[in-house]
Amino acid sequence: MNFSLNEDQRSLVAAIERLCEDFPADYWRDHDDRAVFPHEFHRAVAESGWLGIAMPEAQGGAGLGITEAALMMRAISASGAGMSGASSVHMNIFGLNPVVVFGSEEQRQRFLPPLIAGKEKACFAVTESDAGLDTTSLKTQAVRQPNGSYLLHGRKIWISTAQVADRMLILTRTTPLDQVKKPTQGLTLFYTPLDRSKVEVREIHKLGRAAVDSNMLFIDGLEVPEEDRIGEEGRGFEYILHGLNPERILIAAEAIGIGRAALRIASQYAQERVVFGRPIGQNQGVAHPLARAWANLEAADLMMLKAATLYDAGEPCGIEANAAKYLAAEAAHDACQNAVLTLGGMGYAKEYHVERLLRESYIPRIAPVSPQMILNFIAEKALGLPKSY
């Protein structure tokens, strides 16, 4: 398995890096401070043709693999954009995977081109406060109507970009939990307009990544036509699972990027900051934590690339994708924390950006699945240990 980038992949990374040069760290600090969505960045990525990097060519996408998508997201995050930049386009890269794989040709033609062109934004409405990671216990109901449409009621939480989204990919229960043989049955997936007369979008104010909103959704009588249902009724959980490994790979890539951005700032500061007549980076107490952080990020990067390569080859990659997400998130957080400590008091100042990166580095540790659940998965699937949950 060769992890060296080919010429096309190197050109892709270089193109993304050039695009990101127009959006320096100060741009992201400003948008974080003002809690404003980075519409200009989203538009630039769309106009450059990158929003559809992993979408089918027939709908205007580039038709590339998850490896190329991961390289793109890593480069965006590493530019200093961090999770703010990555999250502003993240949904476009992986979110409509169920539509690509399980949607009809008519749905792909109707849904994907506006997303790829940047004319529409989407959000991913799955998580609920009561269910948490137990997706099969979600309570949002979709009731079939005599005219064939569905009427939706329920609540969702931690839904990113809902403040600016035009549509949402939403998982609902169409058959009550006590009426199915298995909890994974009876869940149905829709991709439909976010009608704000029927859906209240309430923003959650949070520690970091204020430029990209997170929200609670209160859904009260949202009517969804049958033609907006993805695949068969009752098989939504199966469709969502299909996109979990790509999501973990992309989150890992974004985490590696944010760690690299923090190390770049810290290393430069450690070379330039002179105390007691010598640069502080000459002291092993400063240098070794940064060196360790670099090594951990590079190791996580290899696991991420392995998972992406397996996925693109159609091979099983659940263990590798989860391991990549775990290793990258932990390595990124460690790198950002050591960057703040390297800068000392200035690490606490917004001027140097590492405090923003540290705040954002908690996101890949927490979402979309906790490190504890990933270790549970690896213990069971890789080591054959008894399931613990």
Side-chain angles (χ1 to χ4, degrees), residues 54 82 134 167-168 199 218 244-245 273 277 280 321 350 354 385:
D134 183 9
R167 289 180 174 270
M168 61 178 172
V199 182
F218 299 86
L244 293 186
N245 287 333
R273 173 64 169 160
I280 62 171
K350 289 189 175 185
V354 288
L385 298 178

Side-chain angles (χ1 to χ4, degrees), residues 75-157:
I76 289 173
S77 183
S79 74
M83 298 305 296
S84 292
S87 296
S88 70
V89 296
H90 182 91
M91 178 63 183
N92 293 73
I93 307 305
F94 95 95
L96 289 198
N97 180 271
V99 176
V100 173
V101 178
F102 301 106
S104 66
E105 180 62 24
E106 184 276 333
Q107 287 176 327
R108 286 192 289 271
Q109 290 292 349
R110 181 158 54 101
F111 294 147
L112 299 184
L115 198 73
I116 293 169
K119 296 178 179 178
E120 290 185 353
K121 297 182 179 72
C123 63
F124 191 62
V126 175
T127 306
E128 297 184 7
S129 56
D130 291 338
L133 292 174
D134 183 9
T135 304
T136 60
S137 296
L138 63 80
K139 293 183 171 59
T140 296
Q141 294 286 330
V143 179
R144 193 74 177 260
Q145 303 300 296
N147 66 358
S149 67
Y150 294 81
L151 204 61
L152 274 59
H153 292 85
R155 296 182 179 184
K156 298 290 182 178
I157 195 170

Side-chain angles (χ1 to χ4, degrees), residues 77-82 254-270 290 293-294 297 331-343 352-359 361:
S77 183
S79 74
E254 293 160 16
I256 292 161
I258 204 171
R260 287 180 173 178
L263 278 188
R264 183 177 64 249
I265 296 170
S267 298
Q268 181 177 346
Y269 187 89
L290 298 179
W294 179 89
L297 283 170
H333 180 73
D334 181 65
C336 291
Q337 181 169 259
N338 278 305
V340 170
L341 295 175
T342 297
L343 272 68
Y352 283 86
H353 304 288
V354 288
E355 60 83 30
R356 171 174 57 85
L357 298 177
L358 175 60
R359 287 186 283 114
S361 75

Side-chain angles (χ1 to χ4, degrees), residues 200-219:
E200 179 190 352
V201 180
R202 188 181 302 171
E203 187 166 4
I204 300 169
H205 299 286
K206 54 192 187 295
L207 175 69
R209 206 199 67 178
V212 178
D213 52 274
S214 300
N215 307 275
M216 292 187 69
L217 305 185
F218 299 86
I219 306 162

